[in-house]
Amino acid sequence: MTRELALTTRQGSQSAVGNRQSSIGNRQYRQSQIANRKSQICCLLVGHFLVGCSPQSAPEASSLHSHLFRGVEIIGSRGTGLGQFNKPRSLALDRNDNLYVVDMTGRVQKFSAQGDLLTSWRLPETDLGKPKGMCRDQAGNIVVVEPHYQRVNHFSPDGTLVERWGARGTNVGQLTLPRSVAVNSRGDLFLSEYTTVDRVQGFSAQGHQPVVCFGRPGRGAGEFDRAEGLGVGADDRLYVADSCNHRIQIFSRDGKWLKTYGGAGRGAGELSYPYDVQVDREGRQYVCEFGNSRIQVFDANNQPLEILGGPGSVPGRFNNPWAIALDSRGNLYVADAGNHRVQKFLRKDE
């Protein structure tokens, strides 16, 4: 009688949630099989990805077809516990290639380059909104932006608050919903903003005085519609993910418009809601497309090289990624927000 009641309950639950519950059931079954046969490794071939499933492998790893990367590792899973994520939205790396992740729980978690959790801390205020936007400043501190509080925090690598600055407003030097932050070779900090303003401001490393301000709402050259992620090239050129205009705009260090590429679409060279952009030492640009759930790589001449991912949940695929970061070895980290994890793309030896 107890078994019949449990079966009825389970069937009712499946009817309510459909394929999702079936997927969970399949996952639970696989986990049970793995636990019973720890000495075995199960492999699942999905599209172009060969995934190794071992209860002792953490983070998970898989291979992929790419000219630049040899494999993928998975860091974290869905949840609010230590080492878990609820929609990770921003990433940063310190000088030792330790990874820092901000998610919708309002906390920062620090991981080693091997994916081990080292420490975590929580932002003191989150009622108005959660933090978004990170980088490493010239002194080696981790910068965390709080958009809804219009302020910028600098934390030491162990989570100690070193400095906090920012004032609400639309005048030059004030902040209105800052979204992203990046630093150039001189230590100047650049912040993107949107809502009543759509602009990018640069602030000096010392004293955080405004040194440049450019952009306004619009679709023309040098104009923005929800400027999001910022990347800085080796020559201090600034790359802006102009998300709702579906393009990347490139500016000189003093805010002069230089180039634009992209345009709405799904093809190579086209973009859908680019939320972040990073630039490596060779000038290659990595564009995180929230809308297309992929990472598109462009060469130093802004021509498309390859596409990583696409919609999905297997390693190497994404569900509305929010942010990316490159470490000193050229490994690419992706905040795979909708899948509640971070993916690490391992660079091939060059």
Side-chain angles (χ1 to χ4, degrees), residues 19-20 23-24 27 30 44 46 49 51 60 62 72-78 293 309-321 336-343:
N19 291 336
R20 181 180 176 188
S23 174
I24 294 173
R27 189 158 61 247
R30 288 197 301 270
L44 174 63
V46 184
F49 301 95
V51 183
E60 302 173 26
S62 69
V72 184
E73 292 179 349
I74 303 298
I75 302 172
S77 60
R78 184 171 190 169
S293 288
S313 59
V314 299
R317 289 188 173 267
F318 310 107
N319 184 358
N320 298 136
D336 188 7
N339 285 323
H340 307 282
R341 66 190 182 187
V342 173
Q343 298 199 57

PDB file of all heavy atoms in Angstrom, residues 19-20 23-24 27 30 44 46 49 51 60 62 72-78 293 309-321 336-343:
ATOM      1  N   ASN A  19       8.773  17.088 -18.412  1.00  0.00           N
ATOM      2  CA  ASN A  19      10.110  16.643 -18.778  1.00  0.00           C
ATOM      3  C   ASN A  19      11.151  16.972 -17.722  1.00  0.00           C
ATOM      4  O   ASN A  19      12.136  16.282 -17.579  1.00  0.00           O
ATOM      5  CB  ASN A  19      10.529  17.285 -20.104  1.00  0.00           C
ATOM      6  CG  ASN A  19       9.704  16.710 -21.252  1.00  0.00           C
ATOM      7  OD1 ASN A  19       9.185  15.599 -21.157  1.00  0.00           O
ATOM      8  ND2 ASN A  19       9.607  17.484 -22.329  1.00  0.00           N
ATOM      9  N   ARG A  20      10.955  18.086 -17.000  1.00  0.00           N
ATOM     10  CA  ARG A  20      11.938  18.468 -15.990  1.00  0.00           C
ATOM     11  C   ARG A  20      12.055  17.398 -14.909  1.00  0.00           C
ATOM     12  O   ARG A  20      13.139  17.036 -14.496  1.00  0.00           O
ATOM     13  CB  ARG A  20      11.553  19.808 -15.379  1.00  0.00           C
ATOM     14  CG  ARG A  20      12.543  20.290 -14.335  1.00  0.00           C
ATOM     15  CD  ARG A  20      12.097  21.610 -13.765  1.00  0.00           C
ATOM     16  NE  ARG A  20      12.996  22.029 -12.708  1.00  0.00           N
ATOM     17  CZ  ARG A  20      12.764  23.062 -11.926  1.00  0.00           C
ATOM     18  NH1 ARG A  20      11.709  23.806 -12.096  1.00  0.00           N
ATOM     19  NH2 ARG A  20      13.617  23.382 -10.974  1.00  0.00           N
ATOM     20  N   SER A  23      13.849  14.400 -16.189  1.00  0.00           N
ATOM     21  CA  SER A  23      15.290  14.629 -16.233  1.00  0.00           C
ATOM     22  C   SER A  23      15.913  14.448 -14.858  1.00  0.00           C
ATOM     23  O   SER A  23      16.978  13.880 -14.713  1.00  0.00           O
ATOM     24  CB  SER A  23      15.568  16.025 -16.758  1.00  0.00           C
ATOM     25  OG  SER A  23      16.919  16.306 -16.689  1.00  0.00           O
ATOM     26  N   ILE A  24      15.240  14.977 -13.833  1.00  0.00           N
ATOM     27  CA  ILE A  24      15.747  14.831 -12.461  1.00  0.00           C
ATOM     28  C   ILE A  24      15.794  13.363 -12.060  1.00  0.00           C
ATOM     29  O   ILE A  24      16.750  12.881 -11.463  1.00  0.00           O
ATOM     30  CB  ILE A  24      14.872  15.638 -11.477  1.00  0.00           C
ATOM     31  CG1 ILE A  24      15.025  17.131 -11.760  1.00  0.00           C
ATOM     32  CG2 ILE A  24      15.256  15.345 -10.033  1.00  0.00           C
ATOM     33  CD1 ILE A  24      14.080  17.989 -10.973  1.00  0.00           C
ATOM     34  N   ARG A  27      18.692  11.723 -13.666  1.00  0.00           N
ATOM     35  CA  ARG A  27      19.942  12.117 -13.024  1.00  0.00           C
ATOM     36  C   ARG A  27      20.136  11.371 -11.698  1.00  0.00           C
ATOM     37  O   ARG A  27      21.226  10.952 -11.355  1.00  0.00           O
ATOM     38  CB  ARG A  27      19.958  13.637 -12.817  1.00  0.00           C
ATOM     39  CG  ARG A  27      21.287  14.165 -12.372  1.00  0.00           C
ATOM     40  CD  ARG A  27      21.431  15.654 -12.701  1.00  0.00           C
ATOM     41  NE  ARG A  27      20.421  16.442 -12.018  1.00  0.00           N
ATOM     42  CZ  ARG A  27      19.450  17.081 -12.655  1.00  0.00           C
ATOM     43  NH1 ARG A  27      19.348  17.035 -13.958  1.00  0.00           N
ATOM     44  NH2 ARG A  27      18.564  17.801 -11.970  1.00  0.00           N
ATOM     45  N   ARG A  30      21.283   7.855 -12.458  1.00  0.00           N
ATOM     46  CA  ARG A  30      22.692   7.774 -12.815  1.00  0.00           C
ATOM     47  C   ARG A  30      23.585   7.918 -11.595  1.00  0.00           C
ATOM     48  O   ARG A  30      24.587   7.240 -11.450  1.00  0.00           O
ATOM     49  CB  ARG A  30      23.026   8.867 -13.843  1.00  0.00           C
ATOM     50  CG  ARG A  30      22.449   8.602 -15.223  1.00  0.00           C
ATOM     51  CD  ARG A  30      23.142   9.466 -16.285  1.00  0.00           C
ATOM     52  NE  ARG A  30      23.001  10.876 -16.009  1.00  0.00           N
ATOM     53  CZ  ARG A  30      21.991  11.596 -16.463  1.00  0.00           C
ATOM     54  NH1 ARG A  30      21.031  11.045 -17.181  1.00  0.00           N
ATOM     55  NH2 ARG A  30      21.932  12.885 -16.197  1.00  0.00           N
ATOM     56  N   LEU A  44      29.236   9.789 -21.668  1.00  0.00           N
ATOM     57  CA  LEU A  44      28.034  10.158 -22.403  1.00  0.00           C
ATOM     58  C   LEU A  44      28.439  11.044 -23.563  1.00  0.00           C
ATOM     59  O   LEU A  44      28.995  12.104 -23.372  1.00  0.00           O
ATOM     60  CB  LEU A  44      27.069  10.917 -21.486  1.00  0.00           C
ATOM     61  CG  LEU A  44      25.819  11.491 -22.145  1.00  0.00           C
ATOM     62  CD1 LEU A  44      24.972  10.354 -22.683  1.00  0.00           C
ATOM     63  CD2 LEU A  44      25.022  12.314 -21.155  1.00  0.00           C
ATOM     64  N   VAL A  46      27.412  13.530 -26.230  1.00  0.00           N
ATOM     65  CA  VAL A  46      26.318  14.441 -26.538  1.00  0.00           C
ATOM     66  C   VAL A  46      26.821  15.441 -27.567  1.00  0.00           C
ATOM     67  O   VAL A  46      27.626  16.302 -27.269  1.00  0.00           O
ATOM     68  CB  VAL A  46      25.835  15.186 -25.280  1.00  0.00           C
ATOM     69  CG1 VAL A  46      24.627  16.057 -25.622  1.00  0.00           C
ATOM     70  CG2 VAL A  46      25.482  14.206 -24.184  1.00  0.00           C
ATOM     71  N   PHE A  49      30.498  16.675 -27.611  1.00  0.00           N
ATOM     72  CA  PHE A  49      31.150  16.644 -26.302  1.00  0.00           C
ATOM     73  C   PHE A  49      31.199  15.236 -25.758  1.00  0.00           C
ATOM     74  O   PHE A  49      30.201  14.531 -25.722  1.00  0.00           O
ATOM     75  CB  PHE A  49      30.399  17.547 -25.304  1.00  0.00           C
ATOM     76  CG  PHE A  49      30.337  18.960 -25.790  1.00  0.00           C
ATOM     77  CD1 PHE A  49      29.233  19.403 -26.486  1.00  0.00           C
ATOM     78  CD2 PHE A  49      31.392  19.826 -25.570  1.00  0.00           C
ATOM     79  CE1 PHE A  49      29.175  20.698 -26.958  1.00  0.00           C
ATOM     80  CE2 PHE A  49      31.329  21.115 -26.050  1.00  0.00           C
ATOM     81  CZ  PHE A  49      30.226  21.551 -26.742  1.00  0.00           C
ATOM     82  N   VAL A  51      31.788  13.452 -22.304  1.00  0.00           N
ATOM     83  CA  VAL A  51      31.748  13.836 -20.906  1.00  0.00           C
ATOM     84  C   VAL A  51      32.135  12.659 -20.038  1.00  0.00           C
ATOM     85  O   VAL A  51      31.507  11.602 -20.108  1.00  0.00           O
ATOM     86  CB  VAL A  51      30.333  14.316 -20.528  1.00  0.00           C
ATOM     87  CG1 VAL A  51      30.334  14.775 -19.081  1.00  0.00           C
ATOM     88  CG2 VAL A  51      29.895  15.432 -21.447  1.00  0.00           C
ATOM     89  N   GLU A  60      34.121  18.694 -12.839  1.00  0.00           N
ATOM     90  CA  GLU A  60      33.887  17.819 -13.971  1.00  0.00           C
ATOM     91  C   GLU A  60      34.679  18.331 -15.160  1.00  0.00           C
ATOM     92  O   GLU A  60      34.942  19.503 -15.302  1.00  0.00           O
ATOM     93  CB  GLU A  60      32.394  17.788 -14.322  1.00  0.00           C
ATOM     94  CG  GLU A  60      31.505  17.331 -13.190  1.00  0.00           C
ATOM     95  CD  GLU A  60      30.039  17.477 -13.539  1.00  0.00           C
ATOM     96  OE1 GLU A  60      29.708  17.449 -14.736  1.00  0.00           O
ATOM     97  OE2 GLU A  60      29.238  17.616 -12.615  1.00  0.00           O
ATOM     98  N   SER A  62      35.417  17.857 -19.615  1.00  0.00           N
ATOM     99  CA  SER A  62      34.989  17.298 -20.886  1.00  0.00           C
ATOM    100  C   SER A  62      35.839  17.888 -21.986  1.00  0.00           C
ATOM    101  O   SER A  62      36.506  18.903 -21.810  1.00  0.00           O
ATOM    102  CB  SER A  62      33.507  17.604 -21.148  1.00  0.00           C
ATOM    103  OG  SER A  62      33.324  18.981 -21.377  1.00  0.00           O
ATOM    104  N   VAL A  72      36.806  21.422 -21.132  1.00  0.00           N
ATOM    105  CA  VAL A  72      35.971  22.243 -20.256  1.00  0.00           C
ATOM    106  C   VAL A  72      35.912  21.611 -18.877  1.00  0.00           C
ATOM    107  O   VAL A  72      35.803  20.392 -18.755  1.00  0.00           O
ATOM    108  CB  VAL A  72      34.530  22.372 -20.805  1.00  0.00           C
ATOM    109  CG1 VAL A  72      33.707  23.315 -19.937  1.00  0.00           C
ATOM    110  CG2 VAL A  72      34.526  22.834 -22.246  1.00  0.00           C
ATOM    111  N   GLU A  73      35.991  22.432 -17.855  1.00  0.00           N
ATOM    112  CA  GLU A  73      35.750  22.004 -16.479  1.00  0.00           C
ATOM    113  C   GLU A  73      34.555  22.752 -15.923  1.00  0.00           C
ATOM    114  O   GLU A  73      34.338  23.921 -16.255  1.00  0.00           O
ATOM    115  CB  GLU A  73      36.972  22.254 -15.601  1.00  0.00           C
ATOM    116  CG  GLU A  73      38.163  21.392 -15.943  1.00  0.00           C
ATOM    117  CD  GLU A  73      39.369  21.674 -15.059  1.00  0.00           C
ATOM    118  OE1 GLU A  73      39.342  22.678 -14.320  1.00  0.00           O
ATOM    119  OE2 GLU A  73      40.323  20.891 -15.135  1.00  0.00           O
ATOM    120  N   ILE A  74      33.786  22.073 -15.080  1.00  0.00           N
ATOM    121  CA  ILE A  74      32.602  22.658 -14.454  1.00  0.00           C
ATOM    122  C   ILE A  74      32.902  22.966 -12.998  1.00  0.00           C
ATOM    123  O   ILE A  74      33.392  22.108 -12.260  1.00  0.00           O
ATOM    124  CB  ILE A  74      31.386  21.714 -14.543  1.00  0.00           C
ATOM    125  CG1 ILE A  74      31.101  21.357 -15.998  1.00  0.00           C
ATOM    126  CG2 ILE A  74      30.167  22.344 -13.883  1.00  0.00           C
ATOM    127  CD1 ILE A  74      30.740  22.533 -16.871  1.00  0.00           C
ATOM    128  N   ILE A  75      32.616  24.195 -12.583  1.00  0.00           N
ATOM    129  CA  ILE A  75      32.795  24.611 -11.190  1.00  0.00           C
ATOM    130  C   ILE A  75      31.427  24.961 -10.622  1.00  0.00           C
ATOM    131  O   ILE A  75      30.719  25.808 -11.166  1.00  0.00           O
ATOM    132  CB  ILE A  75      33.731  25.823 -11.086  1.00  0.00           C
ATOM    133  CG1 ILE A  75      35.095  25.498 -11.702  1.00  0.00           C
ATOM    134  CG2 ILE A  75      33.880  26.278  -9.635  1.00  0.00           C
ATOM    135  CD1 ILE A  75      36.013  26.700 -11.816  1.00  0.00           C
ATOM    136  N   GLY A  76      31.056  24.313  -9.529  1.00  0.00           N
ATOM    137  CA  GLY A  76      29.820  24.646  -8.834  1.00  0.00           C
ATOM    138  C   GLY A  76      28.599  23.940  -9.387  1.00  0.00           C
ATOM    139  O   GLY A  76      28.632  23.234 -10.396  1.00  0.00           O
ATOM    140  N   SER A  77      27.492  24.137  -8.694  1.00  0.00           N
ATOM    141  CA  SER A  77      26.192  23.585  -9.065  1.00  0.00           C
ATOM    142  C   SER A  77      25.117  24.487  -8.467  1.00  0.00           C
ATOM    143  O   SER A  77      25.418  25.420  -7.719  1.00  0.00           O
ATOM    144  CB  SER A  77      26.034  22.157  -8.533  1.00  0.00           C
ATOM    145  OG  SER A  77      26.129  22.143  -7.111  1.00  0.00           O
ATOM    146  N   ARG A  78      23.871  24.193  -8.780  1.00  0.00           N
ATOM    147  CA  ARG A  78      22.792  25.055  -8.305  1.00  0.00           C
ATOM    148  C   ARG A  78      22.581  24.894  -6.798  1.00  0.00           C
ATOM    149  O   ARG A  78      22.549  23.781  -6.280  1.00  0.00           O
ATOM    150  CB  ARG A  78      21.501  24.728  -9.038  1.00  0.00           C
ATOM    151  CG  ARG A  78      20.348  25.644  -8.662  1.00  0.00           C
ATOM    152  CD  ARG A  78      19.147  25.432  -9.549  1.00  0.00           C
ATOM    153  NE  ARG A  78      18.133  26.458  -9.347  1.00  0.00           N
ATOM    154  CZ  ARG A  78      17.079  26.640 -10.118  1.00  0.00           C
ATOM    155  NH1 ARG A  78      16.879  25.834 -11.151  1.00  0.00           N
ATOM    156  NH2 ARG A  78      16.218  27.607  -9.878  1.00  0.00           N
ATOM    157  N   SER A 293      23.235  32.521 -26.097  1.00  0.00           N
ATOM    158  CA  SER A 293      23.811  31.517 -25.181  1.00  0.00           C
ATOM    159  C   SER A 293      25.087  30.911 -25.760  1.00  0.00           C
ATOM    160  O   SER A 293      25.238  29.697 -25.886  1.00  0.00           O
ATOM    161  CB  SER A 293      22.788  30.421 -24.862  1.00  0.00           C
ATOM    162  OG  SER A 293      21.773  30.902 -24.018  1.00  0.00           O
ATOM    163  N   GLY A 309      29.916  26.909 -27.689  1.00  0.00           N
ATOM    164  CA  GLY A 309      28.646  26.684 -27.017  1.00  0.00           C
ATOM    165  C   GLY A 309      27.442  26.827 -27.904  1.00  0.00           C
ATOM    166  O   GLY A 309      27.445  26.509 -29.084  1.00  0.00           O
ATOM    167  N   GLY A 310      26.388  27.352 -27.309  1.00  0.00           N
ATOM    168  CA  GLY A 310      25.044  27.365 -27.844  1.00  0.00           C
ATOM    169  C   GLY A 310      24.131  26.930 -26.719  1.00  0.00           C
ATOM    170  O   GLY A 310      24.589  26.490 -25.648  1.00  0.00           O
ATOM    171  N   PRO A 311      22.814  27.051 -26.884  1.00  0.00           N
ATOM    172  CA  PRO A 311      21.901  26.728 -25.788  1.00  0.00           C
ATOM    173  C   PRO A 311      22.001  25.265 -25.360  1.00  0.00           C
ATOM    174  O   PRO A 311      22.085  24.361 -26.186  1.00  0.00           O
ATOM    175  CB  PRO A 311      20.525  27.045 -26.378  1.00  0.00           C
ATOM    176  CG  PRO A 311      20.786  27.984 -27.512  1.00  0.00           C
ATOM    177  CD  PRO A 311      22.109  27.585 -28.067  1.00  0.00           C
ATOM    178  N   GLY A 312      21.990  25.032 -24.059  1.00  0.00           N
ATOM    179  CA  GLY A 312      22.012  23.676 -23.526  1.00  0.00           C
ATOM    180  C   GLY A 312      22.587  23.630 -22.134  1.00  0.00           C
ATOM    181  O   GLY A 312      23.015  24.641 -21.582  1.00  0.00           O
ATOM    182  N   SER A 313      22.622  22.425 -21.568  1.00  0.00           N
ATOM    183  CA  SER A 313      23.102  22.253 -20.203  1.00  0.00           C
ATOM    184  C   SER A 313      24.287  21.310 -20.091  1.00  0.00           C
ATOM    185  O   SER A 313      24.855  21.169 -19.012  1.00  0.00           O
ATOM    186  CB  SER A 313      21.962  21.739 -19.306  1.00  0.00           C
ATOM    187  OG  SER A 313      21.470  20.493 -19.786  1.00  0.00           O
ATOM    188  N   VAL A 314      24.675  20.647 -21.192  1.00  0.00           N
ATOM    189  CA  VAL A 314      25.856  19.783 -21.120  1.00  0.00           C
ATOM    190  C   VAL A 314      27.097  20.659 -21.053  1.00  0.00           C
ATOM    191  O   VAL A 314      27.059  21.837 -21.435  1.00  0.00           O
ATOM    192  CB  VAL A 314      25.922  18.833 -22.332  1.00  0.00           C
ATOM    193  CG1 VAL A 314      24.714  17.919 -22.381  1.00  0.00           C
ATOM    194  CG2 VAL A 314      26.070  19.610 -23.632  1.00  0.00           C
ATOM    195  N   PRO A 315      28.215  20.130 -20.577  1.00  0.00           N
ATOM    196  CA  PRO A 315      29.437  20.930 -20.538  1.00  0.00           C
ATOM    197  C   PRO A 315      29.775  21.497 -21.914  1.00  0.00           C
ATOM    198  O   PRO A 315      29.703  20.812 -22.931  1.00  0.00           O
ATOM    199  CB  PRO A 315      30.493  19.926 -20.071  1.00  0.00           C
ATOM    200  CG  PRO A 315      29.719  18.954 -19.238  1.00  0.00           C
ATOM    201  CD  PRO A 315      28.393  18.813 -19.924  1.00  0.00           C
ATOM    202  N   GLY A 316      30.139  22.775 -21.923  1.00  0.00           N
ATOM    203  CA  GLY A 316      30.448  23.443 -23.170  1.00  0.00           C
ATOM    204  C   GLY A 316      29.287  24.190 -23.778  1.00  0.00           C
ATOM    205  O   GLY A 316      29.458  24.936 -24.746  1.00  0.00           O
ATOM    206  N   ARG A 317      28.097  24.024 -23.219  1.00  0.00           N
ATOM    207  CA  ARG A 317      26.930  24.777 -23.673  1.00  0.00           C
ATOM    208  C   ARG A 317      26.409  25.636 -22.531  1.00  0.00           C
ATOM    209  O   ARG A 317      26.757  25.411 -21.365  1.00  0.00           O
ATOM    210  CB  ARG A 317      25.850  23.851 -24.222  1.00  0.00           C
ATOM    211  CG  ARG A 317      26.259  23.246 -25.559  1.00  0.00           C
ATOM    212  CD  ARG A 317      25.134  22.478 -26.227  1.00  0.00           C
ATOM    213  NE  ARG A 317      25.522  22.070 -27.566  1.00  0.00           N
ATOM    214  CZ  ARG A 317      25.261  22.770 -28.659  1.00  0.00           C
ATOM    215  NH1 ARG A 317      24.602  23.913 -28.560  1.00  0.00           N
ATOM    216  NH2 ARG A 317      25.649  22.352 -29.850  1.00  0.00           N
ATOM    217  N   PHE A 318      25.549  26.621 -22.862  1.00  0.00           N
ATOM    218  CA  PHE A 318      25.198  27.652 -21.895  1.00  0.00           C
ATOM    219  C   PHE A 318      23.694  27.918 -21.854  1.00  0.00           C
ATOM    220  O   PHE A 318      22.963  27.613 -22.797  1.00  0.00           O
ATOM    221  CB  PHE A 318      25.912  28.965 -22.255  1.00  0.00           C
ATOM    222  CG  PHE A 318      27.382  28.829 -22.488  1.00  0.00           C
ATOM    223  CD1 PHE A 318      27.909  28.914 -23.775  1.00  0.00           C
ATOM    224  CD2 PHE A 318      28.253  28.607 -21.443  1.00  0.00           C
ATOM    225  CE1 PHE A 318      29.253  28.793 -24.002  1.00  0.00           C
ATOM    226  CE2 PHE A 318      29.612  28.480 -21.655  1.00  0.00           C
ATOM    227  CZ  PHE A 318      30.119  28.573 -22.946  1.00  0.00           C
ATOM    228  N   ASN A 319      23.303  28.548 -20.764  1.00  0.00           N
ATOM    229  CA  ASN A 319      21.940  29.041 -20.589  1.00  0.00           C
ATOM    230  C   ASN A 319      22.043  30.496 -20.124  1.00  0.00           C
ATOM    231  O   ASN A 319      22.219  30.768 -18.955  1.00  0.00           O
ATOM    232  CB  ASN A 319      21.183  28.186 -19.579  1.00  0.00           C
ATOM    233  CG  ASN A 319      19.725  28.604 -19.433  1.00  0.00           C
ATOM    234  OD1 ASN A 319      19.270  29.568 -20.056  1.00  0.00           O
ATOM    235  ND2 ASN A 319      18.986  27.891 -18.597  1.00  0.00           N
ATOM    236  N   ASN A 320      21.989  31.416 -21.092  1.00  0.00           N
ATOM    237  CA  ASN A 320      22.075  32.852 -20.821  1.00  0.00           C
ATOM    238  C   ASN A 320      23.295  33.220 -19.968  1.00  0.00           C
ATOM    239  O   ASN A 320      23.169  33.666 -18.830  1.00  0.00           O
ATOM    240  CB  ASN A 320      20.803  33.348 -20.142  1.00  0.00           C
ATOM    241  CG  ASN A 320      19.566  33.179 -21.001  1.00  0.00           C
ATOM    242  OD1 ASN A 320      18.529  32.742 -20.511  1.00  0.00           O
ATOM    243  ND2 ASN A 320      19.653  33.511 -22.272  1.00  0.00           N
ATOM    244  N   PRO A 321      24.488  33.068 -20.519  1.00  0.00           N
ATOM    245  CA  PRO A 321      25.696  33.457 -19.769  1.00  0.00           C
ATOM    246  C   PRO A 321      25.759  34.963 -19.578  1.00  0.00           C
ATOM    247  O   PRO A 321      25.331  35.736 -20.442  1.00  0.00           O
ATOM    248  CB  PRO A 321      26.830  32.956 -20.671  1.00  0.00           C
ATOM    249  CG  PRO A 321      26.235  32.979 -22.056  1.00  0.00           C
ATOM    250  CD  PRO A 321      24.797  32.591 -21.877  1.00  0.00           C
ATOM    251  N   ASP A 336      27.933  30.916 -16.330  1.00  0.00           N
ATOM    252  CA  ASP A 336      26.800  30.273 -17.018  1.00  0.00           C
ATOM    253  C   ASP A 336      25.568  30.405 -16.124  1.00  0.00           C
ATOM    254  O   ASP A 336      25.155  29.453 -15.454  1.00  0.00           O
ATOM    255  CB  ASP A 336      27.170  28.811 -17.283  1.00  0.00           C
ATOM    256  CG  ASP A 336      26.165  28.081 -18.155  1.00  0.00           C
ATOM    257  OD1 ASP A 336      25.242  28.734 -18.683  1.00  0.00           O
ATOM    258  OD2 ASP A 336      26.309  26.853 -18.306  1.00  0.00           O
ATOM    259  N   ALA A 337      24.978  31.592 -16.134  1.00  0.00           N
ATOM    260  CA  ALA A 337      24.000  31.973 -15.108  1.00  0.00           C
ATOM    261  C   ALA A 337      22.799  31.039 -15.047  1.00  0.00           C
ATOM    262  O   ALA A 337      22.400  30.578 -13.979  1.00  0.00           O
ATOM    263  CB  ALA A 337      23.531  33.408 -15.343  1.00  0.00           C
ATOM    264  N   GLY A 338      22.168  30.773 -16.197  1.00  0.00           N
ATOM    265  CA  GLY A 338      20.954  29.959 -16.198  1.00  0.00           C
ATOM    266  C   GLY A 338      21.187  28.514 -15.814  1.00  0.00           C
ATOM    267  O   GLY A 338      20.255  27.824 -15.390  1.00  0.00           O
ATOM    268  N   ASN A 339      22.428  28.040 -15.942  1.00  0.00           N
ATOM    269  CA  ASN A 339      22.783  26.689 -15.498  1.00  0.00           C
ATOM    270  C   ASN A 339      23.413  26.691 -14.111  1.00  0.00           C
ATOM    271  O   ASN A 339      23.840  25.639 -13.623  1.00  0.00           O
ATOM    272  CB  ASN A 339      23.740  26.032 -16.493  1.00  0.00           C
ATOM    273  CG  ASN A 339      23.042  25.580 -17.764  1.00  0.00           C
ATOM    274  OD1 ASN A 339      21.905  25.114 -17.736  1.00  0.00           O
ATOM    275  ND2 ASN A 339      23.715  25.709 -18.904  1.00  0.00           N
ATOM    276  N   HIS A 340      23.510  27.855 -13.484  1.00  0.00           N
ATOM    277  CA  HIS A 340      23.963  28.000 -12.090  1.00  0.00           C
ATOM    278  C   HIS A 340      25.332  27.361 -11.868  1.00  0.00           C
ATOM    279  O   HIS A 340      25.554  26.590 -10.944  1.00  0.00           O
ATOM    280  CB  HIS A 340      22.937  27.383 -11.128  1.00  0.00           C
ATOM    281  CG  HIS A 340      21.551  27.895 -11.341  1.00  0.00           C
ATOM    282  ND1 HIS A 340      21.117  29.113 -10.886  1.00  0.00           N
ATOM    283  CD2 HIS A 340      20.490  27.350 -12.003  1.00  0.00           C
ATOM    284  CE1 HIS A 340      19.860  29.300 -11.233  1.00  0.00           C
ATOM    285  NE2 HIS A 340      19.458  28.258 -11.926  1.00  0.00           N
ATOM    286  N   ARG A 341      26.271  27.743 -12.738  1.00  0.00           N
ATOM    287  CA  ARG A 341      27.618  27.182 -12.649  1.00  0.00           C
ATOM    288  C   ARG A 341      28.592  28.102 -13.365  1.00  0.00           C
ATOM    289  O   ARG A 341      28.202  29.036 -14.070  1.00  0.00           O
ATOM    290  CB  ARG A 341      27.645  25.792 -13.302  1.00  0.00           C
ATOM    291  CG  ARG A 341      27.390  25.840 -14.805  1.00  0.00           C
ATOM    292  CD  ARG A 341      27.183  24.460 -15.406  1.00  0.00           C
ATOM    293  NE  ARG A 341      26.981  24.524 -16.858  1.00  0.00           N
ATOM    294  CZ  ARG A 341      26.649  23.487 -17.621  1.00  0.00           C
ATOM    295  NH1 ARG A 341      26.471  22.308 -17.067  1.00  0.00           N
ATOM    296  NH2 ARG A 341      26.495  23.636 -18.921  1.00  0.00           N
ATOM    297  N   VAL A 342      29.875  27.824 -13.174  1.00  0.00           N
ATOM    298  CA  VAL A 342      30.935  28.485 -13.927  1.00  0.00           C
ATOM    299  C   VAL A 342      31.631  27.423 -14.764  1.00  0.00           C
ATOM    300  O   VAL A 342      31.928  26.326 -14.273  1.00  0.00           O
ATOM    301  CB  VAL A 342      31.944  29.173 -12.993  1.00  0.00           C
ATOM    302  CG1 VAL A 342      33.129  29.717 -13.788  1.00  0.00           C
ATOM    303  CG2 VAL A 342      31.262  30.298 -12.215  1.00  0.00           C
ATOM    304  N   GLN A 343      31.880  27.735 -16.028  1.00  0.00           N
ATOM    305  CA  GLN A 343      32.610  26.817 -16.886  1.00  0.00           C
ATOM    306  C   GLN A 343      34.000  27.390 -17.179  1.00  0.00           C
ATOM    307  O   GLN A 343      34.138  28.579 -17.459  1.00  0.00           O
ATOM    308  CB  GLN A 343      31.865  26.582 -18.195  1.00  0.00           C
ATOM    309  CG  GLN A 343      30.495  25.928 -18.001  1.00  0.00           C
ATOM    310  CD  GLN A 343      29.980  25.287 -19.266  1.00  0.00           C
ATOM    311  OE1 GLN A 343      30.634  24.432 -19.853  1.00  0.00           O
ATOM    312  NE2 GLN A 343      28.788  25.685 -19.691  1.00  0.00           N
TER     313      GLN A 343
END
